[in-house]
PDB file of all heavy atoms in Angstrom:
ATOM      1  N   GLU A  18     -10.752 -26.418  25.051  1.00  0.00           N
ATOM      2  CA  GLU A  18     -11.512 -26.237  23.797  1.00  0.00           C
ATOM      3  C   GLU A  18     -11.862 -24.776  23.533  1.00  0.00           C
ATOM      4  O   GLU A  18     -11.792 -24.321  22.416  1.00  0.00           O
ATOM      5  CB  GLU A  18     -12.780 -27.092  23.808  1.00  0.00           C
ATOM      6  CG  GLU A  18     -12.536 -28.558  23.585  1.00  0.00           C
ATOM      7  CD  GLU A  18     -11.878 -28.871  22.247  1.00  0.00           C
ATOM      8  OE1 GLU A  18     -12.183 -28.217  21.229  1.00  0.00           O
ATOM      9  OE2 GLU A  18     -11.029 -29.783  22.232  1.00  0.00           O
ATOM     10  N   GLY A  19     -12.250 -24.041  24.555  1.00  0.00           N
ATOM     11  CA  GLY A  19     -12.669 -22.657  24.370  1.00  0.00           C
ATOM     12  C   GLY A  19     -11.591 -21.639  24.683  1.00  0.00           C
ATOM     13  O   GLY A  19     -11.879 -20.467  24.931  1.00  0.00           O
ATOM     14  N   ALA A  20     -10.331 -22.051  24.647  1.00  0.00           N
ATOM     15  CA  ALA A  20      -9.223 -21.168  25.017  1.00  0.00           C
ATOM     16  C   ALA A  20      -9.138 -19.938  24.107  1.00  0.00           C
ATOM     17  O   ALA A  20      -9.639 -19.939  22.980  1.00  0.00           O
ATOM     18  CB  ALA A  20      -7.911 -21.930  24.976  1.00  0.00           C
ATOM     19  N   ILE A  21      -8.473 -18.920  24.616  1.00  0.00           N
ATOM     20  CA  ILE A  21      -8.216 -17.677  23.883  1.00  0.00           C
ATOM     21  C   ILE A  21      -6.712 -17.479  23.816  1.00  0.00           C
ATOM     22  O   ILE A  21      -6.008 -17.642  24.821  1.00  0.00           O
ATOM     23  CB  ILE A  21      -8.870 -16.475  24.587  1.00  0.00           C
ATOM     24  CG1 ILE A  21     -10.386 -16.619  24.574  1.00  0.00           C
ATOM     25  CG2 ILE A  21      -8.426 -15.160  23.946  1.00  0.00           C
ATOM     26  CD1 ILE A  21     -11.102 -15.597  25.436  1.00  0.00           C
ATOM     27  N   TYR A  22      -6.221 -17.119  22.631  1.00  0.00           N
ATOM     28  CA  TYR A  22      -4.806 -16.806  22.435  1.00  0.00           C
ATOM     29  C   TYR A  22      -4.723 -15.428  21.812  1.00  0.00           C
ATOM     30  O   TYR A  22      -5.151 -15.221  20.676  1.00  0.00           O
ATOM     31  CB  TYR A  22      -4.153 -17.862  21.544  1.00  0.00           C
ATOM     32  CG  TYR A  22      -2.804 -17.495  20.977  1.00  0.00           C
ATOM     33  CD1 TYR A  22      -1.838 -16.833  21.744  1.00  0.00           C
ATOM     34  CD2 TYR A  22      -2.475 -17.820  19.676  1.00  0.00           C
ATOM     35  CE1 TYR A  22      -0.597 -16.512  21.214  1.00  0.00           C
ATOM     36  CE2 TYR A  22      -1.234 -17.517  19.135  1.00  0.00           C
ATOM     37  CZ  TYR A  22      -0.308 -16.860  19.905  1.00  0.00           C
ATOM     38  OH  TYR A  22       0.914 -16.546  19.378  1.00  0.00           O
ATOM     39  N   ASP A  23      -4.187 -14.471  22.568  1.00  0.00           N
ATOM     40  CA  ASP A  23      -3.937 -13.131  22.058  1.00  0.00           C
ATOM     41  C   ASP A  23      -2.484 -13.060  21.616  1.00  0.00           C
ATOM     42  O   ASP A  23      -1.563 -13.180  22.436  1.00  0.00           O
ATOM     43  CB  ASP A  23      -4.210 -12.066  23.125  1.00  0.00           C
ATOM     44  CG  ASP A  23      -5.691 -11.842  23.360  1.00  0.00           C
ATOM     45  OD1 ASP A  23      -6.502 -12.269  22.526  1.00  0.00           O
ATOM     46  OD2 ASP A  23      -6.034 -11.229  24.386  1.00  0.00           O
ATOM     47  N   GLU A  24      -2.262 -12.862  20.310  1.00  0.00           N
ATOM     48  CA  GLU A  24      -0.915 -12.810  19.752  1.00  0.00           C
ATOM     49  C   GLU A  24      -0.248 -11.481  20.079  1.00  0.00           C
ATOM     50  O   GLU A  24      -0.913 -10.496  20.430  1.00  0.00           O
ATOM     51  CB  GLU A  24      -0.969 -12.973  18.235  1.00  0.00           C
ATOM     52  CG  GLU A  24      -1.540 -14.300  17.784  1.00  0.00           C
ATOM     53  CD  GLU A  24      -1.613 -14.403  16.283  1.00  0.00           C
ATOM     54  OE1 GLU A  24      -0.557 -14.222  15.624  1.00  0.00           O
ATOM     55  OE2 GLU A  24      -2.706 -14.664  15.760  1.00  0.00           O
ATOM     56  N   PHE A  25       1.073 -11.424  19.896  1.00  0.00           N
ATOM     57  CA  PHE A  25       1.826 -10.201  20.159  1.00  0.00           C
ATOM     58  C   PHE A  25       1.417  -9.060  19.246  1.00  0.00           C
ATOM     59  O   PHE A  25       1.584  -7.895  19.581  1.00  0.00           O
ATOM     60  CB  PHE A  25       3.338 -10.443  20.045  1.00  0.00           C
ATOM     61  CG  PHE A  25       3.803 -10.731  18.642  1.00  0.00           C
ATOM     62  CD1 PHE A  25       4.201  -9.716  17.802  1.00  0.00           C
ATOM     63  CD2 PHE A  25       3.844 -12.031  18.175  1.00  0.00           C
ATOM     64  CE1 PHE A  25       4.633  -9.978  16.517  1.00  0.00           C
ATOM     65  CE2 PHE A  25       4.276 -12.316  16.892  1.00  0.00           C
ATOM     66  CZ  PHE A  25       4.674 -11.283  16.058  1.00  0.00           C
ATOM     67  N   ASN A  26       0.810  -9.368  18.096  1.00  0.00           N
ATOM     68  CA  ASN A  26       0.374  -8.334  17.151  1.00  0.00           C
ATOM     69  C   ASN A  26      -1.057  -7.858  17.417  1.00  0.00           C
ATOM     70  O   ASN A  26      -1.608  -7.084  16.650  1.00  0.00           O
ATOM     71  CB  ASN A  26       0.504  -8.837  15.716  1.00  0.00           C
ATOM     72  CG  ASN A  26      -0.328 -10.078  15.463  1.00  0.00           C
ATOM     73  OD1 ASN A  26      -1.187 -10.464  16.261  1.00  0.00           O
ATOM     74  ND2 ASN A  26      -0.081 -10.732  14.337  1.00  0.00           N
ATOM     75  N   GLY A  27      -1.651  -8.340  18.512  1.00  0.00           N
ATOM     76  CA  GLY A  27      -2.993  -7.905  18.887  1.00  0.00           C
ATOM     77  C   GLY A  27      -4.115  -8.767  18.346  1.00  0.00           C
ATOM     78  O   GLY A  27      -5.268  -8.578  18.722  1.00  0.00           O
ATOM     79  N   ARG A  28      -3.803  -9.716  17.493  1.00  0.00           N
ATOM     80  CA  ARG A  28      -4.830 -10.587  16.921  1.00  0.00           C
ATOM     81  C   ARG A  28      -5.312 -11.574  17.981  1.00  0.00           C
ATOM     82  O   ARG A  28      -4.517 -12.196  18.665  1.00  0.00           O
ATOM     83  CB  ARG A  28      -4.256 -11.337  15.730  1.00  0.00           C
ATOM     84  CG  ARG A  28      -5.298 -12.154  14.980  1.00  0.00           C
ATOM     85  CD  ARG A  28      -4.729 -12.766  13.705  1.00  0.00           C
ATOM     86  NE  ARG A  28      -4.316 -11.678  12.819  1.00  0.00           N
ATOM     87  CZ  ARG A  28      -3.233 -11.724  12.053  1.00  0.00           C
ATOM     88  NH1 ARG A  28      -2.447 -12.769  12.070  1.00  0.00           N
ATOM     89  NH2 ARG A  28      -2.929 -10.709  11.276  1.00  0.00           N
ATOM     90  N   ARG A  29      -6.628 -11.717  18.098  1.00  0.00           N
ATOM     91  CA  ARG A  29      -7.224 -12.647  19.064  1.00  0.00           C
ATOM     92  C   ARG A  29      -7.714 -13.881  18.336  1.00  0.00           C
ATOM     93  O   ARG A  29      -8.369 -13.806  17.301  1.00  0.00           O
ATOM     94  CB  ARG A  29      -8.377 -11.985  19.800  1.00  0.00           C
ATOM     95  CG  ARG A  29      -9.102 -12.961  20.735  1.00  0.00           C
ATOM     96  CD  ARG A  29     -10.027 -12.259  21.664  1.00  0.00           C
ATOM     97  NE  ARG A  29      -9.211 -11.845  22.808  1.00  0.00           N
ATOM     98  CZ  ARG A  29      -9.711 -11.568  23.993  1.00  0.00           C
ATOM     99  NH1 ARG A  29     -11.000 -11.626  24.207  1.00  0.00           N
ATOM    100  NH2 ARG A  29      -8.923 -11.213  24.977  1.00  0.00           N
TER     101      ARG A  29
END
Side-chain angles (χ1 to χ4, degrees):
E18 285 300 323
I21 295 171
Y22 165 41
D23 285 344
E24 298 178 55
F25 68 90
N26 60 12
R28 186 173 298 142
R29 175 168 275 201

